[in-house]
Amino acid sequence: MTRLVVVGGVAGGMSCAARARRLDETAEIIVLERGAHVSFANCGLPYHVGGEIPDPQDLLVQTPESLRAALDLDVRTGHEVIGVDPRAREVVVRTPDGEEHIGYDALVLAPGAVAARPPIEGLDSPRVHALRTVGDATWLRRTVDEGARRAVVLGAGFIGIEAAEAFAHQGLSTTIVEFADHVLPPLDGEHARLVEDELRALGVDVRTGVAAREVIPGEAEDTVVLGDGTRLAADIVVLSTGVRPDTAVFEEAGVTCERGAIVVDEHGRTSLDGVWAVGDATVSTDPATGVRRPVALAGPANRAGRQVADDIMRPGHARPLPQPLGTAIVRVGRLTVAVTGANRAALRAAGIEHHTVHLHPNQHAGYFPGATQIHLSVHFRAGDGLLLGAQAVGVEGVDRRIDVLATAVRSRMTIADLIDLDLAYAPPYGQAKDAVNLAGMVGSNVLDGTLALWYPEELEGVTRTAFVLDVRSPQEFATGHIAAAVNIPHTELRDRLGEVRTGAAGRPVRVTCASGVRSAIAHRVLTQNGFDSASLSGGMLTLRATLGDDCDLLASPRHPSRPANAVDAGPREPATTPLRRTRARH
């Protein structure tokens, strides 16, 4: 009989243990979990803080008792592994009754990650909490219920954003602080600005490009001091500045690690015989860039746990572990934000030559009530068009498109392959040319030279060296435009090419419109009439989202109560109402 010992529960560990039991009824399977809960919905924690999941018991997916009854698993909570002896094939465990040595035939390490603690004085204050466990969530929820009025969230990653939203909807004065230059650092900047605008509309004070320097504990409240000298009063401080693999014990035992994360082969095997590892604490290779890094996401951990169990119980027949794309999604107010694959910063750092296309199509047919835009960008390799990553922000339809694109990236499809995807269509759900199909059409045009693009970060150089042509209507032009631009509507362009030729005086022509559709049409007219032309990727929507309306190169009047690049989704409910999904209204 095989004795399988799994260190750590939740996603990877419990998935492995459950699969192992389904494959072998005779195996002895022991799960060692140092916390109080072995199987809980860690992704649901912020929603308990925000009140959408009122009962914390709903976060408990399984208990030791239910796992014993259903799968005959020996689950031991409050058991912390403090050592591994690979020669004796045993683990040393600190238990409520003292130290214990447990032998194993196969050992699976699923220790997960712990909250990173940056060098900030005062993090030991009792008002500072991470949001990693059910205990963290219940403490935060209780503190809110007891009258907390001010919250500061350190870190604007996915959990930090969800925590800030939860506090804002509970009526707390909330500030989120992010050292990077925009929230949700995995996002490209043009999408992150839409998220920041939505957070501010929820009442959240967004501070980017600055870090916390110190937390000063006080009797009635703490004070968070930022690097720029700003002092923020706080009844609650959430530490959400990232995570690090919790692997010190295993590294000491001889498990090979890179920057603290466990190195595994294609089947999850570590450098020690009979020892596997899964989840947040392991190294994965980015399939787009080749960069090796941990991926702290529940989906990859669950799938890896299953496949490691296969390798243990069915040697030689297990499928290799896939390289995680890092596909992720988060709700921010009425927006959905999703990513898959590499972003532009990662591609540039890896030296991968690539193109990006920006689109702003409706999530369903424009003539059907409730149509709203999806702000979509897709990255693909220069030369062969291999898909590398995608990002999207919108009120509806984002999840569907990113899942399709994640599947396409996983399948190593090219940008042109997206044209041919046979996606479901009816007016309430999509368009005959879906956003994903459109991305393929635009990207294919870029790849074969039918369409040349220029990008917002080139604006300063473009205004110095090129003739900037805005092909929107005069009414649209008056709402804000590139200061150097000349306005000729695209419907009049063929009859006014002489004006363009005179104005350009031999210079390149750089075209813009609202979203990139009309400027692409104008580009084709110009190119076929001998001009050096390029169309602004994503048009003014992407330009404003990238640079902001305060850019000196824009003549852009702003509505006094609304950011010019905000996503239009109908009337907004007060921030103090309970969180719920709202249907867009026009």
Side-chain angles (χ1 to χ4, degrees):
M1 181 176 68
T2 298
R3 173 183 277 184
L4 169 62
V5 174
V6 179
V7 180
V10 195
M14 287 313 308
S15 177
C16 179
R19 174 67 170 174
R21 170 57 73 224
R22 291 193 294 272
L23 295 177
D24 189 345
E25 268 293 304
T26 68
E28 181 184 6
I29 302 174
I30 301 170
V31 179
L32 305 173
E33 169 59 48
R34 70 180 172 192
H37 306 291
V38 72
S39 180
F40 65 93
N42 49 359
C43 297
L45 299 178
Y47 303 105
H48 174 59
V49 177
E52 291 183 273
I53 303 175
D55 187 348
Q57 292 300 310
D58 290 339
L59 297 169
L60 305 181
V61 180
Q62 297 282 356
T63 65
E65 294 75 22
S66 67
L67 290 165
R68 170 70 79 177
L71 294 167
D72 192 26
L73 299 179
D74 181 1
V75 177
R76 307 177 188 182
T77 57
H79 282 55
E80 180 180 7
V81 173
I82 58 175
V84 179
D85 185 341
R87 298 185 68 180
R89 289 206 170 208
E90 64 179 23
V91 292
V92 184
V93 188
R94 182 184 294 129
T95 80
D97 300 319
E99 193 172 290
E100 184 179 350
H101 291 239
I102 300 174
Y104 62 83
D105 297 306
L107 176 65
V108 176
L109 308 178
V114 294
R117 291 178 67 86
I120 300 171
E121 292 184 36
L123 291 184
D124 293 330
S125 166
R127 293 190 180 93
V128 177
H129 266 257
L131 186 47
R132 299 281 300 167
T133 67
V134 175
D136 291 332
T138 54
W139 183 89
L140 290 168
R141 178 71 214 175
R142 184 173 62 251
T143 305
V144 169
D145 289 340
E146 290 173 352
R149 295 178 295 118
R150 292 157 298 198
V152 175
V153 179
L154 303 181
F158 290 97
I159 296 297
I161 290 285
E162 290 171 333
E165 180 189 26
F167 291 138
H169 276 276
Q170 290 299 313
L172 277 69
S173 174
T174 305
T175 301
I176 190 165
V177 180
E178 172 55 54
F179 180 67
D181 61 3
H182 60 71
V183 302
L184 290 177
L187 275 185
D188 291 321
E190 63 270 26
H191 296 304
R193 187 176 292 275
L194 300 175
V195 177
E196 291 176 9
D197 287 340
E198 185 71 7
L199 285 168
R200 292 187 175 101
L202 291 171
V204 177
D205 179 14
V206 180
R207 306 291 183 101
T208 57
V210 65
R213 188 175 67 208
E214 183 181 8
V215 177
I216 303 173
E219 231 176 271
E221 62 190 24
D222 285 359
T223 301
V224 180
V225 183
L226 305 186
D228 61 6
T230 301
R231 300 169 73 89
L232 304 169
D235 304 307
I236 295 171
V237 179
V238 173
L239 184 62
S240 184
T241 52
V243 296
R244 60 173 179 79
D246 192 9
T247 58
V249 167
F250 311 111
E251 194 166 9
E252 288 174 9
V255 174
T256 299
C257 295
E258 286 183 11
R259 294 189 296 277
I262 299 171
V263 176
V264 296
D265 71 5
E266 64 176 1
H267 291 291
R269 305 178 190 119
T270 73
S271 58
L272 298 181
D273 185 45
V275 181
W276 288 255
V278 298
D280 299 0
T282 61
V283 172
S284 298
T285 301
D286 186 301
T289 65
V291 171
R292 293 167 62 79
R293 80 290 190 234
V295 175
L297 293 170
N302 270 289
R303 294 189 292 275
R306 174 189 173 90
Q307 286 161 252
V308 162
D310 282 1
D311 192 55
I312 295 169
M313 298 301 180
R314 294 177 174 176
H317 297 282
R319 294 168 54 246
L321 304 180
Q323 297 173 336
L325 296 175
T327 306
I329 192 166
V330 64
R331 186 190 67 190
V332 186
R334 292 171 303 167
L335 297 183
T336 299
V337 184
V339 301
T340 189
N343 61 17
R344 280 203 309 276
L347 293 170
R348 288 169 178 165
I352 296 173
E353 190 178 350
H354 65 282
H355 300 289
T356 299
V357 292
H358 297 89
L359 301 94
H360 307 276
N362 288 335
Q363 97 285 16
H364 63 53
Y367 57 80
F368 191 87
T372 57
Q373 286 180 313
I374 297 173
H375 302 273
L376 174 66
S377 63
V378 180
H379 311 308
F380 54 97
R381 196 162 63 191
D384 62 3
L386 182 73
L387 290 166
L388 301 171
Q391 305 190 352
V393 178
V395 177
E396 292 182 354
V398 165
D399 50 350
R400 170 184 159 191
R401 274 68 184 201
I402 284 294
D403 281 345
V404 170
L405 287 163
T407 304
V409 176
R410 165 64 58 215
S411 301
R412 297 190 63 79
M413 295 173 68
T414 68
I415 189 72
D417 290 330
L418 299 182
I419 301 172
D420 302 323
L421 292 181
D422 193 359
L423 304 176
Y425 160 65
Y429 300 104
Q431 301 188 70
K433 292 180 181 177
D434 189 82
V436 174
N437 301 130
L438 287 171
M441 294 172 189
V442 175
S444 179
N445 283 340
V446 171
L447 208 59
D448 67 17
T450 303
L451 176 63
L453 296 176
W454 67 282
Y455 293 93
E457 54 266 33
E458 301 173 36
L459 179 60
E460 186 174 352
V462 162
T463 57
R464 286 199 317 267
T465 62
F467 179 75
V468 182
L469 178 64
D470 190 319
V471 296
R472 294 176 295 165
S473 70
Q475 294 79 14
E476 291 174 278
F477 186 77
T479 65
H481 53 270
I482 298 170
V486 173
N487 180 219
I488 299 177
H490 78 292
T491 54
E492 302 175 13
L493 180 59
R494 290 179 179 86
D495 295 327
R496 298 174 65 179
L497 287 173
E499 295 177 44
V500 179
R501 202 172 304 278
T502 300
R507 293 176 295 162
V509 180
R510 296 296 177 255
V511 195
T512 186
C513 64
S515 65
V517 175
R518 287 170 287 179
S519 59
I521 295 170
H523 164 74
R524 293 303 303 156
V525 172
L526 292 166
T527 298
Q528 293 176 78
N529 279 276
F531 291 93
D532 174 354
S533 169
S535 171
L536 176 61
S537 183
M540 292 297 292
L541 283 170
T542 297
L543 183 72
R544 283 175 166 151
T546 304
L547 303 178
D549 282 312
D550 296 329
C551 174
D552 292 340
L553 299 173
L554 295 179
S556 185
R558 295 183 67 159
H559 190 284
S561 61
R562 178 178 173 78
N565 59 319
V567 175
D568 188 4
R572 182 178 298 279
E573 296 183 8
T576 54
T577 58
L579 278 171
R580 63 178 182 273
R581 276 284 188 196
T582 58
R583 184 174 294 277
R585 300 179 295 275
H586 286 268

